[in-house]
Amino acid sequence: VTGVQTCALPICERHFTHYVGLAERAEPAVLRAGRDDPILRRLATELPNLRAALERAAAIDPEAAAKRFDLLLALGDAQWWAGHVSEASATFQAATSLSRQFQDPDRLAEAALRVGEVGYGGAYMEAWSYDPVKVELLDEALAALGDQHTLLKVRVLARLAAALYLSPFDSLARRDSLSRSSVQLARRLADGPTLAYALHARHLAVWDPDNVEERVALSGEIIGLARQCGDVTLEITGHVWRMADLFEIG
């Protein structure tokens, strides 16, 4: 392999073959599996050196970068669902840095969504803290997506709206605008799971004592969409929201 000795971490050809081989053997299982698949959880514990392997492989073979990005997201998902939150966060941050090299708005958005969600325990739970780094990254991803009208943009809009909920600054107007745009775009695109994601984010983003009627309607629609999609986790989340809303009404 040419150019090996110019890398920050010099790697001999035998090691390079090992790293690339490890990534390639893992790839089919990783990319076929869902985010909560047992295969991913097993990979999170059995292949702790996969991220380092991919970093070394990409360092001496630029053509491996695109594959590495997909594998980083998959590995981060595995770490996340296995409960290795700090490791998942580091993996998603690495994917974010790599996405900037591609100058690919979709890849940046995919990475930003993972960074924005990790630590919440799942896509439908929230951490009750404000993280300006995550907000900045989601803002960057939204700007990069520009005038796209895609399911990916729906999720970025939704996640950014929710991430601003505990901002120390007055963010209500922006949260309302972002979450409303997310829901409107999701309805136009007619994708049930993505609409449910947007509705969930809006429920949190605009949570205020003066709009309980709207939130009751949102939680009811989330439950209905979850049943249509067969998403038990989302349905439970919808019921939790609805219970909280009804408690407010009394």
Side-chain angles (χ1 to χ4, degrees):
V1 178
T2 60
V4 171
Q5 297 304 319
T6 64
C7 298
L9 294 174
I11 305 170
C12 70
E13 183 173 354
R14 178 174 59 83
H15 288 148
F16 173 74
T17 302
H18 168 74
Y19 292 134
V20 174
L22 175 62
E24 288 179 344
R25 287 196 301 276
E27 182 186 20
V30 172
L31 298 183
R32 284 198 306 268
R35 290 175 64 173
D36 58 347
D37 193 283
I39 293 175
L40 289 178
R41 293 196 293 272
R42 188 164 67 250
L43 282 172
T45 54
E46 293 180 358
L47 295 177
N49 60 333
L50 177 57
R51 182 158 59 93
L54 290 167
E55 289 173 353
R56 288 167 171 78
I60 56 178
D61 181 8
E63 294 183 0
K67 178 186 290 186
R68 176 179 167 240
F69 176 83
D70 293 335
L71 287 166
L72 281 172
L73 289 189
L75 177 64
D77 286 340
Q79 292 167 328
W80 179 10
W81 287 100
H84 303 164
V85 175
S86 59
E87 292 90 341
S89 181
T91 300
F92 292 144
Q93 290 286 0
T96 300
S97 298
L98 187 60
S99 71
R100 292 191 179 101
Q101 297 177 28
F102 294 127
Q103 296 185 332
D104 183 330
D106 288 352
R107 283 193 170 103
L108 176 60
E110 289 283 3
L113 281 171
R114 299 302 211 288
V115 173
E117 291 176 352
V118 73
Y120 295 160
Y124 302 108
M125 298 179 68
E126 304 298 332
W128 296 99
S129 63
Y130 174 71
D131 189 331
V133 175
K134 291 181 178 181
V135 169
E136 182 178 350
L137 179 56
L138 288 163
D139 260 325
E140 179 186 354
L142 181 59
L145 289 173
D147 294 330
Q148 288 189 27
H149 298 285
T150 62
L151 298 178
L152 186 57
K153 187 173 183 179
V154 170
R155 290 180 177 263
V156 173
L157 286 164
R159 178 51 49 201
L160 179 55
L164 286 167
Y165 181 69
L166 288 182
S167 169
F169 310 104
D170 183 6
S171 62
L172 178 58
R174 188 167 189 228
R175 284 183 276 124
D176 178 54
S177 175
L178 288 167
S179 60
R180 189 182 301 277
S181 295
S182 176
V183 170
Q184 289 173 346
L185 180 55
R187 291 194 192 284
R188 288 202 301 272
L189 296 174
D191 183 83
T194 304
L195 175 58
Y197 188 100
L199 293 169
H200 166 65
R202 179 162 177 80
H203 191 289
L204 174 65
V206 299
W207 196 346
D208 183 88
D210 295 331
N211 66 352
V212 66
E213 292 83 3
E214 179 190 357
R215 287 186 282 113
V216 168
L218 289 170
S219 60
E221 189 171 5
I222 291 169
I223 293 168
L225 286 167
R227 287 174 177 166
Q228 292 176 23
C229 301
D231 189 331
V232 176
T233 301
L234 179 58
E235 184 177 351
I236 292 172
T237 302
H239 282 294
V240 171
W241 281 132
R242 188 171 183 82
M243 181 175 63
D245 298 334
L246 293 177
F247 271 134
E248 286 187 46
I249 294 174

